[in-house]
Amino acid sequence: MYRAVVTIRLKKGVLNPEGRTILRALNFLGYREVKDVDTFKCIELLIEGGDRERVRERVEEMCKKLLANPVIHDYEIKIEKMEKD
Amino acid sequence: MYRAVVTIRLKKGVLNPEGRTILRALNFLGYREVKDVDTFKCIELLIEGGDRERVRERVEEMCKKLLANPVIHDYEIKIEKMEKD
């Protein structure tokens, strides 16, 4: 069993309105030391399989087909083997 | 300057409809090896300040006031000093 964590964030240059909103809200609440805010999403997958490279290929495919939008997103995949396989 | 990453996820036992939807979609697309999906959100803050403990306290406050909903969310704070301060 593997645990894959896919981190999906907006590409550089793509506006992140959520981050901007949080930044303004924090500044407004008095947290003026906050200078920038970025947000990103993580998807954690529990995957059955024996071969780490094969798992990575499949997750890469999932990202392209469903999880990320390649026009606006960068993604990063981390895979770890779970104990008690 | 510090970089704080706040990871916000649903508490155990709180249903994650987004994760369920992704799981079903992946299985439907033929990725039957995926057994479970969880999603969570990260907020990255760039914070001006000299003292790490003070920064942590402030971020903890921000979580309680704005970033997380303590009824349904667990959160975790990671703080690292940025180079070229």
Side-chain angles (χ1 to χ4, degrees):
Chain A
M1 206 74 143
Y2 288 90
R3 182 173 164 274
V5 178
V6 181
T7 303
I8 297 170
R9 57 197 311 162
L10 288 167
K11 279 183 198 285
K12 271 214 168 122
V14 179
L15 196 72
N16 181 347
E18 188 186 33
R20 289 300 284 262
T21 305
I22 294 172
L23 174 62
R24 274 190 296 175
L26 287 173
N27 286 168
F28 178 76
L29 286 173
Y31 300 104
R32 302 206 168 269
E33 70 267 41
V34 181
K35 297 303 173 193
D36 198 16
V37 176
D38 195 13
T39 61
F40 50 99
K41 171 137 219 131
C42 296
I43 303 173
E44 192 180 283
L45 307 158
L46 222 66
I47 298 175
E48 220 169 50
D51 177 37
R52 179 188 291 257
E53 268 323 296
R54 177 76 183 134
V55 168
R56 178 175 292 277
E57 272 168 33
R58 294 280 281 179
V59 175
E60 189 85 37
E61 255 183 60
M62 294 175 212
C63 286
K64 285 183 182 141
K65 278 198 194 160
L66 184 80
L67 304 177
N69 175 350
V71 178
I72 53 168
H73 292 141
D74 281 331
Y75 58 84
E76 196 190 297
I77 300 168
K78 275 184 200 159
I79 293 176
E80 61 183 47
K81 205 166 168 51
M82 294 180 69
E83 284 166 40
K84 286 199 187 177
D85 201 0
Chain B
M1 205 72 141
Y2 288 90
R3 181 175 165 272
V5 178
V6 181
T7 303
I8 297 169
R9 58 197 309 163
L10 289 167
K11 280 182 198 283
K12 271 212 170 125
V14 179
L15 198 71
N16 181 347
E18 189 186 32
R20 290 299 284 260
T21 305
I22 295 173
L23 174 62
R24 273 191 296 175
L26 287 172
N27 287 168
F28 177 77
L29 287 173
Y31 300 104
R32 303 208 168 270
E33 71 267 40
V34 182
K35 297 303 173 192
D36 198 16
V37 176
D38 195 14
T39 61
F40 51 98
K41 171 137 219 131
C42 296
I43 302 173
E44 192 179 284
L45 308 159
L46 221 66
I47 298 175
E48 220 169 51
D51 177 38
R52 181 188 290 257
E53 268 322 295
R54 176 77 184 133
V55 169
R56 178 175 293 278
E57 272 168 34
R58 294 280 281 179
V59 175
E60 188 85 39
E61 255 184 59
M62 293 175 212
C63 287
K64 285 183 183 141
K65 278 198 194 160
L66 184 80
L67 304 177
N69 175 350
V71 178
I72 53 168
H73 292 141
D74 280 331
Y75 58 84
E76 196 189 297
I77 299 169
K78 274 183 200 158
I79 292 176
E80 61 182 48
K81 204 165 167 54
M82 294 180 72
E83 284 166 40
K84 285 197 186 179
D85 201 1

